[in-house]
Amino acid sequence: MIQIAILGFGTVGTGVAKVVAENARQIERKLGEPLQVKTILVRHFKDGPFRQLMTDDFKRIEEDGDIRVVVEAIGGVEAAYEYTKRALSAGKHVVTANKQLVAEKGCELLSLAKKKNVNYLFEASVGGGIPILHPLTQCMAANRIDEVYGILNGTTNYILTRMVRTGAFFSDALREAQAKGYAEADPTADVEGIDAGRKICILADLAFGHQVNPENVPMEGVSRLSLRDVKVAQRAGYRVKLLGRAVRMPGGGCTAYVAPHLIPEESPLASVEDVFNAVMLRGNATGEVMFYGRGAGEMPTASACVADVMEALQSSPRREEIGWSADDSGFEDPLELQTRYYFRIEGSLTDAAMAFGQVEVLSEDGETAFLTDLITGRDALRQSKSLNILSCMRVLA
Ligand code: HSE
C-alpha cells in the first residue's frame, strides 16, 4: 500500500481524493500496489466521506514515514511554500497545481528536491488536465524551443465565449466560471491576466532554461476589453483571445507577456472555446505542435496531479530533466517584438494613415478600426501618440 497526503481540500484537493478513489483499480494496476490517501490537511474540518482523514496539524504528515508523496493543493505562496520545503526536507515527493508557487519559487524548490533526492512535479500548474510540461521537457527535448504561446486561462476563455455566443454580461459569465470551479479563489488573478502570466513564466522557465520572473512580465487581462472590439474583430474574420506568449530573442535572451490578441479565424486557436486551453510549442526541429484540452476544473486538474504522484513514485530515484537556472538576466522588454497591431481610434482613416502610413481598415463609422503592418511595440507606441486611441491589441501572425 502506497500512502499519500493532500494539503488543502478545495477544488484541486477534493478532485485528487476523488480520482484516487474512483480510479483505484487502474492506478493499482500501473503502480503494482494500491494507492491510498492517508491524511488531508485542512484549516476547517468538513463533513463527508473524507472526514476521518482530516487533520489541521502539518506535523502529522511531516513526521509520518509511511507518507511518500504530498500533494500541495493549498494555493498561494506563504503556507504552501513553507509546507513544500518541509515535506521535501522530510524526503517526501511533492506534487502541485500551484502555479504561483512554481512561477515564483520553483527553481529553489527544484534544487531542494534534487538535494533530497525526491521529485517536485507540477504538470497540473499549466493547462489543467492537458499534458504539456512532460511533452515540453521530454518529447521535445531534442529541439531548441523558440516560442511558446497559447490560451492559458480557462476562466477568461469561458467568459469570452459566453459573452460572444450568448451575449452574457461579463459579471454573469464570471459567476458561472466560479460556480464551475474554474476561477481562482480571488478571480482578479484570472481576469487581470496574472494567472496566465504565472503559467507563461513556468513554460518559459522550462523552454528557455532560465528564470523568467513574473514581476518582469507585462500582464494584461480582459477586464478592459470592449465588446465593440470583439464584434469589429469578428466581422473582419478574427477572434479575440487572451494569450500568454514567450519568445526566444535573436540575441539569446527571451521575452514574455500576456495580453488579448486578435486571432485569424483560420488559426486553430480561434476555435478554442469555453474552459478549453491550447498551448503551441515551436521547436526548431518539429515546427509548431499544439496541445489542447480542459484547462481548469476539479477532475482534469486532479488527473494531472495524480499522474504526477504516480510518476514521482515510478521515477527512480527522480526525474532529472525538469529544472532551470536561477539567472533571470536575459529578459527583454516585449515591446521589442514585431507584430501587427489593431487600433480603434476616435478619428478618421486619414488620421490613421498619417500615423502609420498604409493600414488595413476593418471598420469606419465615426470611429476607425484598422490593422498596422508589422511593427515593434515601441514604434507602435511612438507612432500612435497623436491618435485618440480607444483600444489597441496585438494581432497573432
Ligand atoms: N483559474 C485557472 C483557470 C485554473 O481558469 O485557468 C486553472 O489553472
Side-chain angles (χ1 to χ4, degrees):
M1 173 78 72
I2 300 170
Q3 294 184 317
I4 67 170
I6 302 173
L7 313 183
F9 210 54
T11 303
V12 179
T14 309
V16 168
K18 280 189 197 166
V19 169
V20 169
E22 283 174 24
N23 295 347
R25 207 170 300 160
Q26 150 131 352
I27 293 170
E28 178 177 351
R29 208 174 317 126
K30 291 197 174 141
L31 286 179
E33 280 179 78
L35 185 73
Q36 189 189 48
V37 177
K38 184 175 183 191
T39 315
I40 299 171
L41 183 75
V42 292
R43 257 192 307 190
H44 308 290
F45 290 82
K46 292 178 199 163
D47 284 334
F50 299 103
R51 174 68 180 80
Q52 293 304 316
L53 310 181
M54 291 180 184
T55 177
D56 57 5
D57 180 6
F58 178 69
K59 272 202 185 138
R60 276 191 50 198
I61 294 169
E62 187 179 28
E63 292 172 359
D64 186 337
D66 291 339
I67 292 174
R68 289 171 60 191
V69 187
V70 170
V71 179
E72 182 272 296
I74 301 175
V77 168
E78 287 84 17
Y81 178 47
E82 185 60 30
Y83 291 153
T84 300
K85 282 196 293 186
R86 283 170 61 181
L88 292 171
S89 300
K92 300 178 193 306
H93 303 291
V94 176
V95 163
T96 189
N98 185 339
K99 46 256 153 156
Q100 184 179 3
L101 185 61
V102 178
E104 290 180 21
K105 308 282 186 192
C107 189
E108 177 194 333
L109 293 170
L110 280 163
S111 13
L112 176 59
K114 184 169 190 169
K115 210 164 102 195
K116 294 290 169 184
N117 215 17
V118 289
N119 285 289
Y120 180 54
L121 299 179
F122 39 87
E123 180 62 67
S125 65
V126 180
I130 309 173
I132 176 66
L133 303 187
H134 276 60
L136 171 60
T137 52
Q138 286 189 307
C139 318
M140 301 277 289
N143 283 259
R144 183 191 68 224
I145 304 292
D146 290 326
E147 184 167 351
V148 185
Y149 63 98
I151 295 168
L152 300 174
N153 182 267
T155 301
T156 45
N157 207 40
Y158 181 85
I159 293 172
L160 288 176
T161 307
R162 299 286 294 147
M163 286 172 70
V164 171
R165 261 205 225 141
T166 66
F169 288 114
F170 184 94
S171 50
D172 292 338
L174 173 58
R175 252 194 306 279
E176 284 173 30
Q178 286 176 295
K180 287 173 183 279
Y182 301 156
E184 297 301 297
D186 174 3
T188 318
D190 297 295
V191 166
E192 300 301 344
I194 300 162
D195 177 79
R198 291 168 181 150
K199 292 167 180 167
I200 199 65
C201 286
I202 298 170
L203 288 165
D205 294 335
L206 290 168
F208 306 138
H210 51 82
Q211 176 74 21
V212 173
N213 277 324
E215 70 214 35
N216 294 333
V217 173
M219 299 171 192
E220 182 189 335
V222 296
S223 61
R224 285 183 298 149
L225 195 64
S226 134
L227 203 53
R228 171 113 185 90
D229 292 311
V230 174
K231 288 187 172 152
V232 169
Q234 205 151 10
R235 275 198 294 270
Y238 293 87
R239 300 284 176 273
V240 177
K241 297 284 182 191
L242 184 68
L243 293 189
R245 188 169 172 226
V247 183
R248 187 185 291 277
M249 300 296 265
C254 71
T255 191
Y257 65 93
V258 176
H261 283 65
L262 260 66
I263 311 217
E265 63 191 6
E266 55 282 3
S267 158
L269 289 182
S271 49
V272 175
E273 299 208 312
D274 289 314
V275 72
F276 285 85
N277 284 191
V279 189
M280 292 280 197
L281 302 180
R282 186 156 55 81
N284 67 336
T286 55
E288 284 198 331
V289 183
M290 176 166 158
F291 299 83
Y292 170 80
R294 287 180 190 278
E298 182 183 272
M299 296 304 264
T301 310
S303 145
C305 282
V306 178
D308 268 354
V309 169
M310 296 165 72
E311 169 92 29
L313 291 163
Q314 289 172 313
S315 310
S316 175
R318 58 185 301 279
R319 282 190 65 194
E320 291 296 340
E321 73 283 8
I322 287 196
W324 58 89
S325 121
D327 177 15
D328 67 351
S329 58
F331 191 82
E332 295 179 36
D333 193 323
L335 286 177
E336 302 304 334
L337 283 173
Q338 276 206 338
T339 171
R340 295 185 81 189
Y341 275 84
Y342 162 89
F343 281 93
R344 184 163 54 88
I345 59 168
E346 206 171 78
S348 65
L349 178 56
T350 313
D351 297 327
M354 276 172 63
F356 287 103
Q358 203 175 337
V359 295
E360 181 185 334
V361 186
L362 301 190
S363 81
E364 257 188 301
D365 51 4
E367 300 166 357
T368 305
F370 64 93
L371 303 184
T372 69
D373 276 343
L374 271 182
I375 189 171
T376 65
R378 213 170 281 294
D379 284 345
L381 271 181
R382 187 175 49 78
Q383 289 176 231
S384 61
K385 268 204 178 114
S386 62
L387 298 174
N388 192 353
I389 300 169
L390 298 170
S391 52
C392 168
M393 276 183 269
R394 287 178 167 98
V395 182
L396 188 71

mmCIF file with all atom_site columns, all heavy atoms in Angstrom, residues 97 99 124-128 152-156 181-184 190 195 199 275 277 295-297 301, ligand 1:
data_model
loop_
_atom_site.group_PDB
_atom_site.id
_atom_site.type_symbol
_atom_site.label_atom_id
_atom_site.label_alt_id
_atom_site.label_comp_id
_atom_site.label_asym_id
_atom_site.label_entity_id
_atom_site.label_seq_id
_atom_site.pdbx_PDB_ins_code
_atom_site.Cartn_x
_atom_site.Cartn_y
_atom_site.Cartn_z
_atom_site.occupancy
_atom_site.B_iso_or_equiv
_atom_site.pdbx_formal_charge
_atom_site.auth_seq_id
_atom_site.auth_comp_id
_atom_site.auth_asym_id
_atom_site.auth_atom_id
_atom_site.pdbx_PDB_model_num
ATOM   1   N N   . ALA A 1 97  ? -0.406  21.813 -8.157  1.00 0.00 ? 97  ALA A N   1
ATOM   2   C CA  . ALA A 1 97  ? -1.014  22.542 -9.278  1.00 0.00 ? 97  ALA A CA  1
ATOM   3   C C   . ALA A 1 97  ? -0.833  24.047 -9.049  1.00 0.00 ? 97  ALA A C   1
ATOM   4   O O   . ALA A 1 97  ? -1.429  24.862 -9.750  1.00 0.00 ? 97  ALA A O   1
ATOM   5   C CB  . ALA A 1 97  ? -2.508  22.226 -9.349  1.00 0.00 ? 97  ALA A CB  1
ATOM   6   N N   . LYS A 1 99  ? 0.485   27.243 -9.527  1.00 0.00 ? 99  LYS A N   1
ATOM   7   C CA  . LYS A 1 99  ? 1.338   27.971 -10.486 1.00 0.00 ? 99  LYS A CA  1
ATOM   8   C C   . LYS A 1 99  ? 2.031   29.171 -9.877  1.00 0.00 ? 99  LYS A C   1
ATOM   9   O O   . LYS A 1 99  ? 3.129   29.527 -10.278 1.00 0.00 ? 99  LYS A O   1
ATOM   10  C CB  . LYS A 1 99  ? 0.542   28.376 -11.725 1.00 0.00 ? 99  LYS A CB  1
ATOM   11  C CG  . LYS A 1 99  ? -0.807  28.994 -11.478 1.00 0.00 ? 99  LYS A CG  1
ATOM   12  C CD  . LYS A 1 99  ? -1.914  28.033 -11.742 1.00 0.00 ? 99  LYS A CD  1
ATOM   13  C CE  . LYS A 1 99  ? -3.117  28.414 -10.906 1.00 0.00 ? 99  LYS A CE  1
ATOM   14  N NZ  . LYS A 1 99  ? -4.354  27.969 -11.423 1.00 0.00 ? 99  LYS A NZ  1
ATOM   15  N N   . ALA A 1 124 ? 0.153   19.855 -13.376 1.00 0.00 ? 124 ALA A N   1
ATOM   16  C CA  . ALA A 1 124 ? -1.184  20.468 -13.310 1.00 0.00 ? 124 ALA A CA  1
ATOM   17  C C   . ALA A 1 124 ? -1.134  21.990 -13.180 1.00 0.00 ? 124 ALA A C   1
ATOM   18  O O   . ALA A 1 124 ? -2.179  22.643 -13.255 1.00 0.00 ? 124 ALA A O   1
ATOM   19  C CB  . ALA A 1 124 ? -1.959  19.885 -12.119 1.00 0.00 ? 124 ALA A CB  1
ATOM   20  N N   . SER A 1 125 ? 0.062   22.557 -13.014 1.00 0.00 ? 125 SER A N   1
ATOM   21  C CA  . SER A 1 125 ? 0.130   24.018 -12.819 1.00 0.00 ? 125 SER A CA  1
ATOM   22  C C   . SER A 1 125 ? -0.117  24.772 -14.125 1.00 0.00 ? 125 SER A C   1
ATOM   23  O O   . SER A 1 125 ? -0.442  25.951 -14.113 1.00 0.00 ? 125 SER A O   1
ATOM   24  C CB  . SER A 1 125 ? 1.484   24.420 -12.221 1.00 0.00 ? 125 SER A CB  1
ATOM   25  O OG  . SER A 1 125 ? 2.523   24.127 -13.135 1.00 0.00 ? 125 SER A OG  1
ATOM   26  N N   . VAL A 1 126 ? 0.047   24.118 -15.263 1.00 0.00 ? 126 VAL A N   1
ATOM   27  C CA  . VAL A 1 126 ? -0.190  24.770 -16.565 1.00 0.00 ? 126 VAL A CA  1
ATOM   28  C C   . VAL A 1 126 ? -1.145  23.911 -17.383 1.00 0.00 ? 126 VAL A C   1
ATOM   29  O O   . VAL A 1 126 ? -0.912  22.716 -17.573 1.00 0.00 ? 126 VAL A O   1
ATOM   30  C CB  . VAL A 1 126 ? 1.127   24.938 -17.360 1.00 0.00 ? 126 VAL A CB  1
ATOM   31  C CG1 . VAL A 1 126 ? 0.858   25.621 -18.697 1.00 0.00 ? 126 VAL A CG1 1
ATOM   32  C CG2 . VAL A 1 126 ? 2.155   25.720 -16.562 1.00 0.00 ? 126 VAL A CG2 1
ATOM   33  N N   . GLY A 1 127 ? -2.233  24.517 -17.827 1.00 0.00 ? 127 GLY A N   1
ATOM   34  C CA  . GLY A 1 127 ? -3.135  23.820 -18.756 1.00 0.00 ? 127 GLY A CA  1
ATOM   35  C C   . GLY A 1 127 ? -4.040  22.786 -18.097 1.00 0.00 ? 127 GLY A C   1
ATOM   36  O O   . GLY A 1 127 ? -4.614  21.956 -18.806 1.00 0.00 ? 127 GLY A O   1
ATOM   37  N N   . GLY A 1 128 ? -4.192  22.827 -16.776 1.00 0.00 ? 128 GLY A N   1
ATOM   38  C CA  . GLY A 1 128 ? -5.119  21.898 -16.094 1.00 0.00 ? 128 GLY A CA  1
ATOM   39  C C   . GLY A 1 128 ? -4.828  20.460 -16.475 1.00 0.00 ? 128 GLY A C   1
ATOM   40  O O   . GLY A 1 128 ? -3.763  19.923 -16.188 1.00 0.00 ? 128 GLY A O   1
ATOM   41  N N   . LEU A 1 152 ? -4.175  30.213 -21.962 1.00 0.00 ? 152 LEU A N   1
ATOM   42  C CA  . LEU A 1 152 ? -3.682  29.557 -20.745 1.00 0.00 ? 152 LEU A CA  1
ATOM   43  C C   . LEU A 1 152 ? -4.616  29.740 -19.562 1.00 0.00 ? 152 LEU A C   1
ATOM   44  O O   . LEU A 1 152 ? -4.293  29.275 -18.466 1.00 0.00 ? 152 LEU A O   1
ATOM   45  C CB  . LEU A 1 152 ? -2.297  30.120 -20.379 1.00 0.00 ? 152 LEU A CB  1
ATOM   46  C CG  . LEU A 1 152 ? -1.203  29.940 -21.436 1.00 0.00 ? 152 LEU A CG  1
ATOM   47  C CD1 . LEU A 1 152 ? 0.064   30.676 -21.019 1.00 0.00 ? 152 LEU A CD1 1
ATOM   48  C CD2 . LEU A 1 152 ? -0.908  28.467 -21.645 1.00 0.00 ? 152 LEU A CD2 1
ATOM   49  N N   . ASN A 1 153 ? -5.723  30.423 -19.758 1.00 0.00 ? 153 ASN A N   1
ATOM   50  C CA  . ASN A 1 153 ? -6.637  30.617 -18.635 1.00 0.00 ? 153 ASN A CA  1
ATOM   51  C C   . ASN A 1 153 ? -8.053  30.220 -19.032 1.00 0.00 ? 153 ASN A C   1
ATOM   52  O O   . ASN A 1 153 ? -8.649  30.802 -19.945 1.00 0.00 ? 153 ASN A O   1
ATOM   53  C CB  . ASN A 1 153 ? -6.590  32.083 -18.164 1.00 0.00 ? 153 ASN A CB  1
ATOM   54  C CG  . ASN A 1 153 ? -7.484  32.309 -16.963 1.00 0.00 ? 153 ASN A CG  1
ATOM   55  O OD1 . ASN A 1 153 ? -8.635  32.694 -17.088 1.00 0.00 ? 153 ASN A OD1 1
ATOM   56  N ND2 . ASN A 1 153 ? -6.965  32.028 -15.774 1.00 0.00 ? 153 ASN A ND2 1
ATOM   57  N N   . GLY A 1 154 ? -8.575  29.208 -18.340 1.00 0.00 ? 154 GLY A N   1
ATOM   58  C CA  . GLY A 1 154 ? -9.896  28.677 -18.669 1.00 0.00 ? 154 GLY A CA  1
ATOM   59  C C   . GLY A 1 154 ? -11.015 29.640 -18.323 1.00 0.00 ? 154 GLY A C   1
ATOM   60  O O   . GLY A 1 154 ? -12.001 29.753 -19.065 1.00 0.00 ? 154 GLY A O   1
ATOM   61  N N   . THR A 1 155 ? -10.857 30.345 -17.205 1.00 0.00 ? 155 THR A N   1
ATOM   62  C CA  . THR A 1 155 ? -11.924 31.252 -16.755 1.00 0.00 ? 155 THR A CA  1
ATOM   63  C C   . THR A 1 155 ? -12.180 32.354 -17.776 1.00 0.00 ? 155 THR A C   1
ATOM   64  O O   . THR A 1 155 ? -13.327 32.600 -18.171 1.00 0.00 ? 155 THR A O   1
ATOM   65  C CB  . THR A 1 155 ? -11.524 31.875 -15.396 1.00 0.00 ? 155 THR A CB  1
ATOM   66  O OG1 . THR A 1 155 ? -11.335 30.807 -14.467 1.00 0.00 ? 155 THR A OG1 1
ATOM   67  C CG2 . THR A 1 155 ? -12.576 32.837 -14.880 1.00 0.00 ? 155 THR A CG2 1
ATOM   68  N N   . THR A 1 156 ? -11.109 33.022 -18.228 1.00 0.00 ? 156 THR A N   1
ATOM   69  C CA  . THR A 1 156 ? -11.307 34.129 -19.170 1.00 0.00 ? 156 THR A CA  1
ATOM   70  C C   . THR A 1 156 ? -11.768 33.616 -20.531 1.00 0.00 ? 156 THR A C   1
ATOM   71  O O   . THR A 1 156 ? -12.551 34.270 -21.216 1.00 0.00 ? 156 THR A O   1
ATOM   72  C CB  . THR A 1 156 ? -10.021 34.968 -19.331 1.00 0.00 ? 156 THR A CB  1
ATOM   73  O OG1 . THR A 1 156 ? -8.927  34.082 -19.482 1.00 0.00 ? 156 THR A OG1 1
ATOM   74  C CG2 . THR A 1 156 ? -9.802  35.865 -18.148 1.00 0.00 ? 156 THR A CG2 1
ATOM   75  N N   . GLY A 1 181 ? -16.028 25.965 -10.700 1.00 0.00 ? 181 GLY A N   1
ATOM   76  C CA  . GLY A 1 181 ? -14.727 25.636 -10.096 1.00 0.00 ? 181 GLY A CA  1
ATOM   77  C C   . GLY A 1 181 ? -13.549 25.948 -10.996 1.00 0.00 ? 181 GLY A C   1
ATOM   78  O O   . GLY A 1 181 ? -12.470 25.403 -10.824 1.00 0.00 ? 181 GLY A O   1
ATOM   79  N N   . TYR A 1 182 ? -13.740 26.873 -11.965 1.00 0.00 ? 182 TYR A N   1
ATOM   80  C CA  . TYR A 1 182 ? -12.644 27.220 -12.871 1.00 0.00 ? 182 TYR A CA  1
ATOM   81  C C   . TYR A 1 182 ? -11.786 28.351 -12.311 1.00 0.00 ? 182 TYR A C   1
ATOM   82  O O   . TYR A 1 182 ? -10.582 28.381 -12.517 1.00 0.00 ? 182 TYR A O   1
ATOM   83  C CB  . TYR A 1 182 ? -13.169 27.686 -14.244 1.00 0.00 ? 182 TYR A CB  1
ATOM   84  C CG  . TYR A 1 182 ? -14.029 26.692 -14.990 1.00 0.00 ? 182 TYR A CG  1
ATOM   85  C CD1 . TYR A 1 182 ? -14.945 27.116 -15.956 1.00 0.00 ? 182 TYR A CD1 1
ATOM   86  C CD2 . TYR A 1 182 ? -13.910 25.322 -14.762 1.00 0.00 ? 182 TYR A CD2 1
ATOM   87  C CE1 . TYR A 1 182 ? -15.719 26.219 -16.666 1.00 0.00 ? 182 TYR A CE1 1
ATOM   88  C CE2 . TYR A 1 182 ? -14.698 24.413 -15.463 1.00 0.00 ? 182 TYR A CE2 1
ATOM   89  C CZ  . TYR A 1 182 ? -15.600 24.872 -16.405 1.00 0.00 ? 182 TYR A CZ  1
ATOM   90  O OH  . TYR A 1 182 ? -16.370 23.981 -17.109 1.00 0.00 ? 182 TYR A OH  1
ATOM   91  N N   . ALA A 1 183 ? -12.440 29.299 -11.628 1.00 0.00 ? 183 ALA A N   1
ATOM   92  C CA  . ALA A 1 183 ? -11.747 30.540 -11.249 1.00 0.00 ? 183 ALA A CA  1
ATOM   93  C C   . ALA A 1 183 ? -10.883 30.337 -10.011 1.00 0.00 ? 183 ALA A C   1
ATOM   94  O O   . ALA A 1 183 ? -11.094 29.423 -9.224  1.00 0.00 ? 183 ALA A O   1
ATOM   95  C CB  . ALA A 1 183 ? -12.778 31.638 -11.005 1.00 0.00 ? 183 ALA A CB  1
ATOM   96  N N   . GLU A 1 184 ? -9.875  31.218 -9.874  1.00 0.00 ? 184 GLU A N   1
ATOM   97  C CA  . GLU A 1 184 ? -9.048  31.228 -8.669  1.00 0.00 ? 184 GLU A CA  1
ATOM   98  C C   . GLU A 1 184 ? -9.883  31.716 -7.487  1.00 0.00 ? 184 GLU A C   1
ATOM   99  O O   . GLU A 1 184 ? -10.933 32.337 -7.673  1.00 0.00 ? 184 GLU A O   1
ATOM   100 C CB  . GLU A 1 184 ? -7.867  32.186 -8.858  1.00 0.00 ? 184 GLU A CB  1
ATOM   101 C CG  . GLU A 1 184 ? -6.921  31.798 -9.974  1.00 0.00 ? 184 GLU A CG  1
ATOM   102 C CD  . GLU A 1 184 ? -6.319  30.415 -9.753  1.00 0.00 ? 184 GLU A CD  1
ATOM   103 O OE1 . GLU A 1 184 ? -5.602  30.220 -8.773  1.00 0.00 ? 184 GLU A OE1 1
ATOM   104 O OE2 . GLU A 1 184 ? -6.593  29.518 -10.575 1.00 0.00 ? 184 GLU A OE2 1
ATOM   105 N N   . ASP A 1 190 ? -7.390  35.725 -12.525 1.00 0.00 ? 190 ASP A N   1
ATOM   106 C CA  . ASP A 1 190 ? -7.812  35.250 -13.848 1.00 0.00 ? 190 ASP A CA  1
ATOM   107 C C   . ASP A 1 190 ? -8.056  36.439 -14.774 1.00 0.00 ? 190 ASP A C   1
ATOM   108 O O   . ASP A 1 190 ? -7.505  36.520 -15.870 1.00 0.00 ? 190 ASP A O   1
ATOM   109 C CB  . ASP A 1 190 ? -9.115  34.450 -13.728 1.00 0.00 ? 190 ASP A CB  1
ATOM   110 C CG  . ASP A 1 190 ? -8.960  33.191 -12.895 1.00 0.00 ? 190 ASP A CG  1
ATOM   111 O OD1 . ASP A 1 190 ? -8.216  32.303 -13.320 1.00 0.00 ? 190 ASP A OD1 1
ATOM   112 O OD2 . ASP A 1 190 ? -9.589  33.106 -11.815 1.00 0.00 ? 190 ASP A OD2 1
ATOM   113 N N   . ASP A 1 195 ? -2.916  34.982 -13.677 1.00 0.00 ? 195 ASP A N   1
ATOM   114 C CA  . ASP A 1 195 ? -2.853  33.514 -13.697 1.00 0.00 ? 195 ASP A CA  1
ATOM   115 C C   . ASP A 1 195 ? -2.172  33.023 -14.987 1.00 0.00 ? 195 ASP A C   1
ATOM   116 O O   . ASP A 1 195 ? -1.256  32.202 -14.942 1.00 0.00 ? 195 ASP A O   1
ATOM   117 C CB  . ASP A 1 195 ? -4.282  32.953 -13.582 1.00 0.00 ? 195 ASP A CB  1
ATOM   118 C CG  . ASP A 1 195 ? -4.311  31.442 -13.669 1.00 0.00 ? 195 ASP A CG  1
ATOM   119 O OD1 . ASP A 1 195 ? -4.001  30.782 -12.664 1.00 0.00 ? 195 ASP A OD1 1
ATOM   120 O OD2 . ASP A 1 195 ? -4.618  30.918 -14.752 1.00 0.00 ? 195 ASP A OD2 1
ATOM   121 N N   . LYS A 1 199 ? 1.592   31.086 -15.601 1.00 0.00 ? 199 LYS A N   1
ATOM   122 C CA  . LYS A 1 199 ? 1.743   29.884 -16.431 1.00 0.00 ? 199 LYS A CA  1
ATOM   123 C C   . LYS A 1 199 ? 2.756   30.116 -17.557 1.00 0.00 ? 199 LYS A C   1
ATOM   124 O O   . LYS A 1 199 ? 3.560   29.234 -17.850 1.00 0.00 ? 199 LYS A O   1
ATOM   125 C CB  . LYS A 1 199 ? 0.386   29.469 -16.998 1.00 0.00 ? 199 LYS A CB  1
ATOM   126 C CG  . LYS A 1 199 ? -0.558  28.969 -15.898 1.00 0.00 ? 199 LYS A CG  1
ATOM   127 C CD  . LYS A 1 199 ? -1.976  28.866 -16.407 1.00 0.00 ? 199 LYS A CD  1
ATOM   128 C CE  . LYS A 1 199 ? -2.945  28.362 -15.348 1.00 0.00 ? 199 LYS A CE  1
ATOM   129 N NZ  . LYS A 1 199 ? -4.342  28.541 -15.712 1.00 0.00 ? 199 LYS A NZ  1
ATOM   130 N N   . VAL A 1 275 ? -13.950 26.418 -21.413 1.00 0.00 ? 275 VAL A N   1
ATOM   131 C CA  . VAL A 1 275 ? -12.847 26.305 -20.443 1.00 0.00 ? 275 VAL A CA  1
ATOM   132 C C   . VAL A 1 275 ? -11.592 25.711 -21.101 1.00 0.00 ? 275 VAL A C   1
ATOM   133 O O   . VAL A 1 275 ? -10.553 25.559 -20.465 1.00 0.00 ? 275 VAL A O   1
ATOM   134 C CB  . VAL A 1 275 ? -13.307 25.442 -19.247 1.00 0.00 ? 275 VAL A CB  1
ATOM   135 C CG1 . VAL A 1 275 ? -13.424 23.971 -19.649 1.00 0.00 ? 275 VAL A CG1 1
ATOM   136 C CG2 . VAL A 1 275 ? -12.371 25.592 -18.049 1.00 0.00 ? 275 VAL A CG2 1
ATOM   137 N N   . ASN A 1 277 ? -8.171  25.122 -23.041 1.00 0.00 ? 277 ASN A N   1
ATOM   138 C CA  . ASN A 1 277 ? -6.898  25.820 -23.251 1.00 0.00 ? 277 ASN A CA  1
ATOM   139 C C   . ASN A 1 277 ? -6.223  25.178 -24.460 1.00 0.00 ? 277 ASN A C   1
ATOM   140 O O   . ASN A 1 277 ? -6.527  24.030 -24.807 1.00 0.00 ? 277 ASN A O   1
ATOM   141 C CB  . ASN A 1 277 ? -5.938  25.615 -22.067 1.00 0.00 ? 277 ASN A CB  1
ATOM   142 C CG  . ASN A 1 277 ? -6.270  26.446 -20.834 1.00 0.00 ? 277 ASN A CG  1
ATOM   143 O OD1 . ASN A 1 277 ? -5.458  26.517 -19.920 1.00 0.00 ? 277 ASN A OD1 1
ATOM   144 N ND2 . ASN A 1 277 ? -7.433  27.062 -20.778 1.00 0.00 ? 277 ASN A ND2 1
ATOM   145 N N   . GLY A 1 295 ? -8.602  23.264 -19.488 1.00 0.00 ? 295 GLY A N   1
ATOM   146 C CA  . GLY A 1 295 ? -7.545  23.988 -18.784 1.00 0.00 ? 295 GLY A CA  1
ATOM   147 C C   . GLY A 1 295 ? -7.819  24.240 -17.324 1.00 0.00 ? 295 GLY A C   1
ATOM   148 O O   . GLY A 1 295 ? -6.966  24.775 -16.610 1.00 0.00 ? 295 GLY A O   1
ATOM   149 N N   . ALA A 1 296 ? -9.005  23.887 -16.825 1.00 0.00 ? 296 ALA A N   1
ATOM   150 C CA  . ALA A 1 296 ? -9.331  24.134 -15.414 1.00 0.00 ? 296 ALA A CA  1
ATOM   151 C C   . ALA A 1 296 ? -10.451 23.182 -15.037 1.00 0.00 ? 296 ALA A C   1
ATOM   152 O O   . ALA A 1 296 ? -11.044 22.513 -15.889 1.00 0.00 ? 296 ALA A O   1
ATOM   153 C CB  . ALA A 1 296 ? -9.771  25.585 -15.218 1.00 0.00 ? 296 ALA A CB  1
ATOM   154 N N   . GLY A 1 297 ? -10.727 23.131 -13.734 1.00 0.00 ? 297 GLY A N   1
ATOM   155 C CA  . GLY A 1 297 ? -11.811 22.273 -13.251 1.00 0.00 ? 297 GLY A CA  1
ATOM   156 C C   . GLY A 1 297 ? -11.241 21.157 -12.395 1.00 0.00 ? 297 GLY A C   1
ATOM   157 O O   . GLY A 1 297 ? -10.087 20.749 -12.546 1.00 0.00 ? 297 GLY A O   1
ATOM   158 N N   . THR A 1 301 ? -7.783  18.798 -13.541 1.00 0.00 ? 301 THR A N   1
ATOM   159 C CA  . THR A 1 301 ? -6.580  19.207 -12.805 1.00 0.00 ? 301 THR A CA  1
ATOM   160 C C   . THR A 1 301 ? -6.107  18.076 -11.902 1.00 0.00 ? 301 THR A C   1
ATOM   161 O O   . THR A 1 301 ? -4.904  17.797 -11.785 1.00 0.00 ? 301 THR A O   1
ATOM   162 C CB  . THR A 1 301 ? -6.883  20.490 -11.990 1.00 0.00 ? 301 THR A CB  1
ATOM   163 O OG1 . THR A 1 301 ? -7.490  21.436 -12.869 1.00 0.00 ? 301 THR A OG1 1
ATOM   164 C CG2 . THR A 1 301 ? -5.623  21.078 -11.400 1.00 0.00 ? 301 THR A CG2 1
HETATM 165 N N1  . HSE B 2 .   ? -8.194  29.695 -12.660 1.00 0.00 ? 1   HSE B N1  1
HETATM 166 C C1  . HSE B 2 .   ? -7.448  28.866 -13.545 1.00 0.00 ? 1   HSE B C1  1
HETATM 167 C C2  . HSE B 2 .   ? -8.066  28.967 -14.943 1.00 0.00 ? 1   HSE B C2  1
HETATM 168 C C3  . HSE B 2 .   ? -7.467  27.451 -13.047 1.00 0.00 ? 1   HSE B C3  1
HETATM 169 O O1  . HSE B 2 .   ? -9.188  29.458 -15.062 1.00 0.00 ? 1   HSE B O1  1
HETATM 170 O O2  . HSE B 2 .   ? -7.417  28.608 -15.917 1.00 0.00 ? 1   HSE B O2  1
HETATM 171 C C4  . HSE B 2 .   ? -6.546  26.518 -13.753 1.00 0.00 ? 1   HSE B C4  1
HETATM 172 O O3  . HSE B 2 .   ? -5.199  26.872 -13.605 1.00 0.00 ? 1   HSE B O3  1
#
